[in-house]
Amino acid sequence: MSADVGRTRPPAMSDVAELAGVSHQTVSRVLNDHPSVRPQTRERVLDAIATLGYRRNSAARALVTARSGTIGVVTTGSALYGPTSTLIAVEGAAREEGYFVSVATIRRYDAETMHTVLEHFMAQAVEGIVVIAPQTDVAAAVDSFRAPVPIILIAAREPNEVHAGAPGTGAASILPIAVDQRLGARVATEHLLDLGHRSVVHLAGPLDWFDARERAKGWNDALAARDVPEIDREMIRCSWSSDAGYDVGRDLARRVADGKGPTAVFAGNDHLALGVLQAFWEAGVVVPRDVSVVGFDDVEGSAHFIPPLTTVRQPFAELGRRCMALLLDAFAGSTRETRQIPPDLVVRASSGPPSV
């Protein structure tokens, strides 16, 4: 049979079988990597697949196997580094495991919107759902949903805040996983205290974000462990933007000029740190001689800030792999302990001992 002449439809498995001179069942075994196929036969089938340009029909396969090979991912559509990097990591890990990803972006975080999205996934027969939930409202909306498939919730919230599917309802569990934001913030603050700074001002992100809340807790944990009085634990609430960091940085620079400013700043993310660095540079505040600055995330380019930024690196690729491992375990009817993933401190030139 010619691979090209007279075809008006995509090649089918039967075409592969005819060209390779094998049965339909043998082609199926090769596609499913069955060990019983002889190497020479496997090679003939793979050559036929390449010649014909055959692609497996996922929809037809789903009808036969009752498996779609698809997972759903819900994200808030944020352009911020953390949620975006998490989405990329989950999609890559799913692809490595042979799964397609269907993404739904939500802009309203109420239960009705979340339920509509999750029901949409159910209509697609997804095998599992991953929800990237950086904000408290998103997680709360997920908690109120009962799904017949596992739901992985990527949210840095306390274990006692996590809701599991109620027994006897047929609902699958909601399985939590996250990078340990609290640990990262504590390590960053301890780094500054170890350098000799007596206190550290914290620029906190919006506290309806789990990451911001946990980073503030980690900062406070480190100060409390070193017996820094509460009156000296200054936290300034901000948005996540460089503009917000710049505005706060200008005020801190004035305080430094008056001899009343901090010697160390822990910014809730690298964008805030970038704004602070610009404000300090414009005011003649030298980093780290006058004030040390530490960020969080290790965004692309942070090693080229002026000066290069000391920051906390989040292991997003590992987060994606662990997320898929949780799903695969759930598909197999088992669960593993869902520990948080520790981040790493990356020390660069923006942090150093206080000058006085």
Side-chain angles (χ1 to χ4, degrees), residues 159-352:
N160 60 9
E161 292 181 89
V162 177
H163 175 84
T169 65
S173 294
I174 297 175
L175 306 171
I177 191 168
V179 175
D180 195 335
Q181 308 291 321
R182 189 168 184 167
L183 172 63
R186 189 173 77 239
V187 169
T189 307
E190 287 172 346
H191 165 69
L192 291 167
L193 296 173
D194 288 342
L195 288 170
H197 297 278
R198 292 185 293 275
S199 186
V200 179
V201 170
H202 178 41
L203 275 59
L207 296 184
D208 63 334
W209 285 63
F210 290 116
D211 290 358
R213 286 165 44 175
E214 291 303 299
R215 292 171 196 177
K217 290 175 183 175
W219 161 80
N220 192 62
D221 290 345
L223 295 183
R226 301 294 180 92
D227 296 321
V228 175
E230 287 195 25
I231 195 171
D232 294 328
R233 303 179 203 172
E234 182 180 2
M235 183 174 75
I236 302 170
R237 297 185 182 184
C238 307
S239 71
W240 289 120
S241 71
S242 297
D243 287 343
Y246 177 76
D247 290 341
V248 173
R250 291 180 67 187
D251 179 63
L252 292 176
R254 285 191 289 267
R255 290 166 53 184
V256 170
D258 292 339
K260 300 177 181 178
T263 63
V265 173
F266 167 44
N269 72 354
D270 290 348
H271 294 291
L272 284 168
L274 178 60
V276 169
L277 290 174
Q278 182 186 358
F280 283 176
W281 177 79
E282 289 179 355
V285 175
V286 179
V287 177
R289 185 195 68 190
D290 301 325
V291 184
S292 286
V293 178
V294 173
F296 203 110
D297 281 336
D298 194 30
V299 300
E300 182 69 27
S302 60
H304 303 287
F305 289 4
I306 301 177
L309 183 66
T310 295
T311 186
V312 177
R313 176 180 295 156
Q314 299 206 62
F316 290 111
E318 180 65 16
L319 176 62
R321 286 190 292 269
R322 297 269 194 99
C323 181
M324 279 307 301
L326 274 178
L327 267 182
L328 294 174
D329 282 349
F331 296 160
S334 63
T335 57
R336 66 179 69 194
E337 191 174 351
T338 55
R339 296 172 184 256
Q340 291 188 312
I341 305 168
D344 300 308
L345 180 69
V346 181
V347 179
R348 300 192 181 106
S350 69
S351 59

Side-chain angles (χ1 to χ4, degrees), residues 16 18 21 29 33 35 44 47 84 96 203 253 270 302 305 331:
V16 175
E18 182 178 349
R29 291 190 186 102
D33 201 26
R44 278 208 322 276
D47 285 344
T84 300
E96 287 179 3
L203 275 59
D270 290 348
S302 60
F305 289 4
F331 296 160

